[in-house]
Amino acid sequence: GAAQGRRIFLRRIRSHAALKTTPLAVPISANTLMPWIEYSGLTDADLSAIFDYLKTVAPVEHEVKAFPLKKA
Protein backbone atom coordinates (compact mmCIF):
# COMPACT_ATOMS: atom_id res chain seq x y z
CA GLY A 1 0.00 0.00 0.00
CA ALA A 2 0.88 3.65 0.34
CA ALA A 3 2.88 3.15 3.55
CA GLN A 4 5.03 0.50 1.87
CA GLY A 5 5.54 2.74 -1.17
CA ARG A 6 6.58 5.62 1.10
CA ARG A 7 9.13 3.41 2.91
CA ILE A 8 10.60 2.24 -0.40
CA PHE A 9 10.78 5.84 -1.66
CA LEU A 10 12.55 7.08 1.48
CA ARG A 11 14.95 4.12 1.50
CA ARG A 12 15.78 4.68 -2.19
CA ILE A 13 16.56 8.36 -1.64
CA ARG A 14 18.53 7.66 1.55
CA SER A 15 20.63 5.04 -0.25
CA HIS A 16 22.44 7.88 -2.02
CA ALA A 17 23.65 9.60 1.18
CA ALA A 18 26.99 7.75 1.10
CA LEU A 19 27.67 9.15 -2.37
CA LYS A 20 28.41 12.56 -0.83
CA THR A 21 31.88 11.30 0.02
CA THR A 22 32.21 8.61 -2.65
CA PRO A 23 30.53 9.77 -5.86
CA LEU A 24 29.14 7.03 -8.05
CA ALA A 25 30.96 6.70 -11.36
CA VAL A 26 28.37 6.41 -14.10
CA PRO A 27 28.74 6.63 -17.84
CA ILE A 28 27.67 10.00 -19.23
CA SER A 29 24.77 8.28 -20.99
CA ALA A 30 23.34 7.25 -17.60
CA ASN A 31 23.13 10.73 -16.07
CA THR A 32 19.92 11.79 -14.42
CA LEU A 33 18.33 15.11 -13.55
CA MET A 34 17.24 13.78 -10.17
CA PRO A 35 19.43 15.37 -7.45
CA TRP A 36 19.71 12.11 -5.48
CA ILE A 37 22.61 13.14 -3.26
CA GLU A 38 21.07 16.47 -2.29
CA TYR A 39 17.69 14.89 -1.54
CA SER A 40 19.29 12.21 0.63
CA GLY A 41 19.88 14.82 3.35
CA LEU A 42 16.24 15.90 3.56
CA THR A 43 14.16 15.02 6.61
CA ASP A 44 11.64 12.19 6.53
CA ALA A 45 8.89 14.85 6.68
CA ASP A 46 10.30 16.64 3.61
CA LEU A 47 10.72 13.41 1.65
CA SER A 48 7.23 12.31 2.64
CA ALA A 49 5.87 15.63 1.34
CA ILE A 50 7.62 15.03 -1.99
CA PHE A 51 6.23 11.48 -2.09
CA ASP A 52 2.71 12.78 -1.36
CA TYR A 53 3.02 15.38 -4.11
CA LEU A 54 4.30 12.88 -6.65
CA LYS A 55 1.29 10.65 -5.91
CA THR A 56 -1.00 13.53 -7.04
CA VAL A 57 0.69 13.99 -10.41
CA ALA A 58 -0.95 12.10 -13.25
CA PRO A 59 1.44 9.68 -14.98
CA VAL A 60 2.39 10.33 -18.57
CA GLU A 61 3.49 7.76 -21.07
CA HIS A 62 6.64 8.60 -22.95
CA GLU A 63 10.09 7.22 -23.51
CA VAL A 64 12.77 8.61 -21.22
CA LYS A 65 16.08 8.88 -23.00
CA ALA A 66 19.49 9.28 -21.41
CA PHE A 67 21.37 12.45 -22.14
CA PRO A 68 22.86 12.20 -25.62
CA LEU A 69 26.61 12.14 -25.87
CA LYS A 70 27.97 15.46 -27.07
CA LYS A 71 30.06 15.35 -30.21
CA ALA A 72 33.28 17.37 -30.13
Side-chain angles (χ1 to χ4, degrees), residues 10-70:
L10 269 65
R11 188 172 44 234
R12 173 75 172 156
I13 299 292
R14 294 269 186 257
S15 71
H16 290 82
L19 298 178
K20 289 180 181 177
T21 56
T22 309
L24 182 64
V26 295
I28 188 85
S29 61
N31 285 343
T32 176
L33 293 176
M34 182 71 177
W36 297 103
I37 296 171
E38 291 79 4
Y39 282 16
S40 70
L42 294 177
T43 65
D44 284 354
D46 289 336
L47 289 173
S48 289
I50 293 170
F51 178 83
D52 291 340
Y53 168 73
L54 291 174
K55 295 298 281 180
T56 70
V57 179
V60 295
E61 190 171 320
H62 70 279
E63 181 181 354
V64 177
K65 296 181 182 181
F67 294 123
L69 296 174
K70 293 183 180 181

